[in-house]
Amino acid sequence: MPTQPELPINLALLTLPNDDLIPLLHQRIELSKMIAGDLDIIRAGLVRRIAAHIDVHGLIIKNAATGMPVGDIADLLGVTESYVYRVLRDHNSGQ
């Protein structure tokens, strides 16, 4: 298996346009491991705090309302389809 060249990837990749990020989706596990491995304690703490404030339920509800398929939502957020369905069911029953 040929090795891929090392890329200077860091949190700046979050500033790229979506069209540039989409090709990286299939490499997200490797990318996240690479980025996480290079973080010092200050940056790791910042990333953990950012992640804690991501409104996953809100993103699921918002994107499902636009017609995005459940499988795509689950894949993009790194959750299971059953989790997406549960969030949507709970949201609909709470209305």
Side-chain angles (χ1 to χ4, degrees), residues 10-90:
N10 57 36
L11 292 178
L13 82 95
L14 296 176
T15 65
L16 295 174
N18 286 350
D19 288 344
D20 293 340
L21 287 174
I22 290 171
L24 300 176
L25 286 177
H26 71 280
Q27 297 176 330
R28 66 183 167 269
I29 293 172
E30 295 84 3
L31 285 171
S32 62
K33 285 180 182 178
M34 183 186 319
I35 292 168
D38 289 339
L39 294 178
D40 59 31
I41 193 167
I42 294 169
R43 285 162 184 80
L46 177 60
V47 169
R48 289 181 53 83
R49 285 171 178 83
I50 291 168
H53 290 280
I54 294 173
D55 181 9
V56 175
H57 287 184
L59 289 168
I60 290 170
I61 293 163
K62 175 183 171 183
N63 286 281
T66 68
M68 182 181 282
V70 167
D72 290 352
I73 294 169
D75 188 46
L76 291 169
L77 290 174
V79 298
T80 63
E81 287 186 25
S82 63
Y83 180 78
V84 174
Y85 281 118
R86 184 176 47 206
V87 169
L88 294 173
R89 182 187 67 236
D90 292 349

